[in-house]
Amino acid sequence: MAETTRSEPRYGNRPTMKDVAARAGVGLKTVSRVVNGEPGVTPETERRVREAIDVLGFRRNDGARVLRKGRTATVGLVLEDLADPFYGQLGRAVEEVARAHGTLLINGSSAEDPEREQELALALCARRVDGLIVIPAGDDHRYLEPEIRAGVATVFADRPAGLIDADAVLSDGFGGAREGVAHLIAHGHRRIGFVGDRPRIHTAAERLRGYRAAMEDAGLPVDERWVAPGPTDPRRVTEAVEGMLAGPDPVTALFAGNNRVAVTAVRLLAARTARGDGAPVALVGFDDVELGDVLGVTVIAQDPAALGRTAAEQLFRRLDGAAEAPRRVVIGTRLLARGSGEIPPGPSA
């Protein structure tokens, strides 16, 4: 018995309507009518066309169809880190709004690299996305001006655009940090350390500004040894916190400028407590941390889903023709008191 040979798949060579027409023995217009659900085709002819579609695995080219209408029904999202739970929630909210508008979301990560952000944003524009939501890594977005003039709706989220006027949806970093530090002051702390991200980042700068404002409101001096902005890797954060806890007048409380800093601080303070090393240190973090409710970590919580949803809704308002001046929307934060921020200073403080 002869062995049946199977043809190798033609990767990258998808069947076309011309292939369907040839197999069904009909014209291209007939295939087009069947694919698009238009009248004027007999039941028998439609049966042959659909049989050819099934055999060949043909799929309608929606990209070509929407391009004829001037829109691609796709939007792009440039995130900082796809693995970060904060950006995961934000991205999911954007996707839900896009889906409700019959639009596909394409996203990618800048890894906090301005050059990679630019490369990714322009690559999405080259693929004819209708709009972009960008969480900036850089502070100069003039490279997007030609794309915006060409009709690519653009909204910035979490951080504002640099050197251009554009829609932005932000969390209240200043107000949230001010509230968090005031909470520590209300529980008796006077020597409060701040460990944050790099000050060139808008969100980091706003949170540091909120820390200083709360201390000033309470008439408390800030020793610059208590302030440690910089990269958020565990080694750098550990060194900063250990420095603040050393010496004759250590800080009695810490304000962590983001969730990565807070996680490192929680581990360091837990180890310190296990060793019986000094009085307990209070901690408030900006942005929630995984298992924060279980671990009893007091935080200033953002609403990443609201950030993503609001940014996406503004993007689709622009795509629907809204022509007002660029808008800046600020979404509030809330204090979640869970125990770590309510520890009083030690008796010698």
Side-chain angles (χ1 to χ4, degrees), residues 191-223:
R191 298 193 302 272
I192 301 170
F194 174 92
V195 185
D197 210 331
R198 288 158 291 190
R200 69 169 180 79
I201 299 172
H202 172 82
T203 48
E206 285 295 284
R207 294 166 197 176
L208 176 55
R209 193 167 70 88
Y211 160 82
R212 291 188 183 279
M215 297 292 278
E216 183 179 348
D217 291 343
L220 297 175
V222 173
D223 188 323

Side-chain angles (χ1 to χ4, degrees), residues 99-275:
R99 185 168 178 263
H101 284 80
T103 298
L104 178 69
L105 176 69
I106 306 171
N107 60 35
S109 171
S110 71
E112 198 61 47
D113 181 343
E115 290 185 7
R116 186 165 169 178
E117 172 214 300
Q118 179 174 339
E119 178 183 323
L120 179 55
L122 292 178
L124 289 167
C125 290
R127 283 157 178 76
R128 301 287 298 274
V129 293
D130 298 322
L132 280 176
I133 295 175
V134 179
I135 295 166
D139 52 12
D140 185 349
H141 293 93
R142 288 175 292 182
Y143 71 87
L144 278 172
E145 286 183 323
E147 308 299 333
I148 294 171
R149 285 196 298 268
V152 180
T154 304
V155 176
F156 289 80
D158 193 37
R159 305 165 186 170
L163 304 182
I164 65 171
D165 290 326
D167 291 321
V169 180
L170 316 172
S171 286
D172 185 7
F174 170 78
R178 191 177 192 175
E179 181 182 15
V181 176
H183 184 74
L184 291 168
I185 294 169
H187 282 80
H189 295 279
R190 298 296 178 265
R191 298 193 302 272
I192 301 170
F194 174 92
V195 185
D197 210 331
R198 288 158 291 190
R200 69 169 180 79
I201 299 172
H202 172 82
T203 48
E206 285 295 284
R207 294 166 197 176
L208 176 55
R209 193 167 70 88
Y211 160 82
R212 291 188 183 279
M215 297 292 278
E216 183 179 348
D217 291 343
L220 297 175
V222 173
D223 188 323
E224 291 307 313
R225 291 175 295 179
W226 303 344
V227 180
T232 58
D233 62 275
R235 181 175 178 179
R236 201 283 303 184
V237 172
T238 297
E239 289 176 353
V241 173
E242 287 178 341
M244 293 178 189
L245 296 176
D249 294 310
V251 299
T252 63
L254 292 170
F255 185 82
N258 65 25
N259 53 4
R260 291 184 291 275
V261 172
V263 167
T264 300
V266 167
R267 288 175 175 155
L268 188 154
L269 296 178
R272 190 172 180 271
T273 299
R275 295 193 304 267

Side-chain angles (χ1 to χ4, degrees), residues 62-78:
D62 283 338
R65 189 166 63 94
V66 295
L67 275 171
R68 289 194 294 271
K69 299 180 179 181
R71 295 268 287 267
T72 63
T74 59
V75 294
L77 171 62
V78 180

